[in-house]
Amino acid sequence: MADVMTESETETDVAVVGGGPAGLHAALVLARGGLSVTLIDESDTLGGQYYKRRAEQLAVAFGDFRPRGTELIREVRDAGVVCRTGTLVWGAEDGGRTLFTSDVRTGALGRVRARATVAATGAYERSLPFPGWTLPGVVTPGLALHLATMDRVPVGSRVVLAGTGPFLLPVACALLEAGAGIEALVELNHPYRPRPSAVAGALRQPARLAEAARYLLTLARHGVRVEQGARVLAAYGDTQVTAVDIAGADGGVRRVETDALCVGFGFRPSTELPRLLGCPTRPDRTGTEQLPVVDADGATSVDGLYVAGDGAGIAGVHAAGVRGQLAAHAILRRLAPGRSPVRVAGLRRRARALDRFAALADRLYPLPAEAVADIPDATQVCRCEGVTAGEIRQAVATGWNDLHGAKAATRAGMGPCQGRECGHIVAALARRDEAEGFAARMPIRPLPMAATVEGQEVR
Ligand SMILES: Cc1cc2nc3c(=O)[nH]c(=O)nc-3n(C[C@H](O)[C@H](O)[C@H](O)COP(=O)(O)OP(=O)(O)OC[C@H]3O[C@@H](n4cnc5c(N)ncnc54)[C@H](O)[C@@H]3O)c2cc1C
């Protein structure tokens, strides 16, 4: 890619891609350690998913959303970190020492050269197709949460919230606070009737347990019951979702009228950047995703490349912060020996404890294989290219029985999202035993049109 034409060029000791909890903590430790740091995020504001910022008028009217985020961002800026928001990293080479960027508003291309890079690119929500999932009014819990907390807009007045994961609880509470009514809260698993071994594991993280208890109490106060062992079968409506079929734990199916359906099945790590740079991967604990192989501090086998936060494995906001700090200390030890006086043993212990808690969550909220096997043939799996589950199954039956074959035969995963949404489902339909992902290629995210016109050329 040596002939990519660029408008701007930046030199820095360390580039941190992603301004969520992991990237912010990494940038802060690095800058306080005396290195020059450029923190890049495609969003307009820093904070990532957990420390999202409210628009100023809403912050004045409704208060600061998660004040710790405001404080952390201020600390990062005060430490001298160069913050490049509204900047997408769409490619990289030389082990991440050269990053290709694009201004998300103007499309202006740039290049950041660094001695080391931290990929802290977070996660995506996991969706599973079902009949009607592309109807207007069917959204992910993350979008519903964003609207409720950032814009104070309830996604509907009679919401059905479904899927699996602890994330459904804060989303339900935020919807209630924003004025939504909840028609049904449908959890696929039975996490709130756990086995004694799971209770013992949860007791080792009392703060997380207390958080879950607070959400459950809020829901109980509003008369919202978590229906366990239940799932959404199909959504109906012409121009908007109006009804949902729910299969209960007893096998009975009932129809619920609704004006918004939020369905999510946890999170999937965003791993495009390390994979693009040739970082080896391994299946995660659940066997459904490929994770970059990293050591205890987030170092990859690609010299100078570190991965931190949910992109190294879904473990939540607290683990993301700790992993960001660990990666930063590892870089300081290497680039500025003597400037990392902190003993990292305590951080590593905390990271391991938080990882154990994340493993417990994986066991409490598993994604059963039937969830994919039961997708009806007529249901669209790849929204970008309009490919159905039946077309993928047919391709597999005629011999295209791996991910790349199924992609070549059906075009599933060839659209603008490059399989980020559907890749895990295509892989499962292609009956692979192990998690497998589409290859990461530049651009790792769609580039604004402006980046490829007006005399700028990306070859
Ligand atoms: C939609 C959503 C909502 C969530 N809400 C909650 C919640 O309410 N409570 C909770 O406990 N947990 C929540 N989580 C999980 C929690 O946010 C994460 O565990 C935590 O934020 C992980 O921190 P991180 O720094 O690894 O990633 P993130 O916070 O996701 O930050 C990653 C950042 O990287 C940026 N980025 C990614 N790729 C690029 C690129 N190529 N170029 C430039 N920038 C890039 C993104 O814009 C983002 O700001 C949510 C997760 C998601 C996906």
Side-chain angles (χ1 to χ4, degrees), residues 168-241:
L168 296 182
L169 300 183
V171 176
C173 292
L175 284 171
L176 291 169
E177 203 187 322
I182 297 189
E183 237 13 66
L185 173 45
V186 179
E187 163 60 59
L188 180 67
N189 290 293
H190 291 91
Y192 311 114
R193 212 174 54 202
R195 282 191 293 275
S197 59
V199 175
L203 286 173
R204 278 186 225 116
Q205 291 286 335
R208 306 281 75 76
L209 205 58
E211 190 181 345
R214 270 198 308 278
Y215 294 138
L216 289 167
L217 277 173
T218 304
L219 295 176
R221 258 203 325 275
H222 284 83
V224 176
R225 187 174 71 90
V226 184
E227 190 178 342
Q228 302 187 65
R231 64 190 178 117
V232 163
L233 291 180
Y236 304 96
D238 291 329
T239 54
Q240 164 81 21
V241 63

Side-chain angles (χ1 to χ4, degrees), residues 112-414:
V112 176
R113 291 190 193 282
R115 296 163 69 199
T117 291
V118 181
T121 50
Y124 308 108
E125 287 182 273
R126 179 189 276 122
S127 296
L128 281 182
F130 54 89
W133 76 298
T134 55
L135 274 171
V138 182
V139 300
T140 62
L143 177 62
L145 180 73
H146 178 91
L147 292 172
T149 53
M150 294 300 108
D151 306 329
R152 302 287 294 192
V153 172
V155 70
S157 57
R158 291 175 303 159
V159 181
V160 173
L161 189 55
T164 193
F167 187 47
L168 296 182
L169 300 183
V171 176
C173 292
L175 284 171
L176 291 169
E177 203 187 322
I182 297 189
E183 237 13 66
L185 173 45
V186 179
E187 163 60 59
L188 180 67
N189 290 293
H190 291 91
Y192 311 114
R193 212 174 54 202
R195 282 191 293 275
S197 59
V199 175
L203 286 173
R204 278 186 225 116
Q205 291 286 335
R208 306 281 75 76
L209 205 58
E211 190 181 345
R214 270 198 308 278
Y215 294 138
L216 289 167
L217 277 173
T218 304
L219 295 176
R221 258 203 325 275
H222 284 83
V224 176
R225 187 174 71 90
V226 184
E227 190 178 342
Q228 302 187 65
R231 64 190 178 117
V232 163
L233 291 180
Y236 304 96
D238 291 329
T239 54
Q240 164 81 21
V241 63
T242 52
V244 175
D245 275 353
I246 295 172
D250 60 1
V253 178
R254 70 182 197 280
R255 187 156 294 186
V256 175
E257 291 193 0
T258 183
D259 56 1
L261 169 62
C262 314
V263 195
F265 296 83
F267 301 109
R268 309 178 50 227
S270 156
T271 59
E272 294 88 349
L273 192 53
R275 286 190 294 118
L276 175 73
L277 291 166
C279 177
T281 59
R282 63 173 173 84
D284 73 354
R285 282 184 297 260
T286 68
T288 58
E289 299 291 338
Q290 284 290 330
L291 297 179
V293 176
V294 295
D295 71 9
D297 297 335
T300 70
S301 60
V302 178
D303 191 36
L305 177 67
Y306 296 74
V307 186
D310 274 357
I314 305 298
V317 55
H318 303 286
V322 173
R323 284 178 179 173
Q325 292 175 59
L326 281 169
H329 284 295
I331 294 171
L332 279 177
R333 283 198 299 279
R334 190 164 156 183
L335 298 186
R339 298 218 197 119
S340 177
V342 174
R343 296 175 68 82
V344 294
L347 282 174
R348 285 188 189 144
R349 261 198 310 278
R350 184 150 162 69
R352 282 197 298 273
L354 289 163
D355 277 351
R356 278 196 296 276
F357 190 69
L360 173 67
D362 288 342
R363 288 197 298 278
L364 286 175
Y365 304 92
L367 194 62
E370 308 87 77
V372 173
D374 289 351
I375 298 172
D377 278 348
T379 300
Q380 215 173 69
V381 167
C382 169
R383 290 173 90 149
C384 301
E385 295 288 326
V387 182
T388 64
E391 286 166 327
I392 296 166
R393 288 188 180 113
Q394 199 176 359
V396 171
T398 51
W400 299 97
N401 58 356
D402 68 12
L403 181 63
H404 302 286
K407 176 180 176 180
T410 64
R411 293 193 59 80
M414 287 194 190

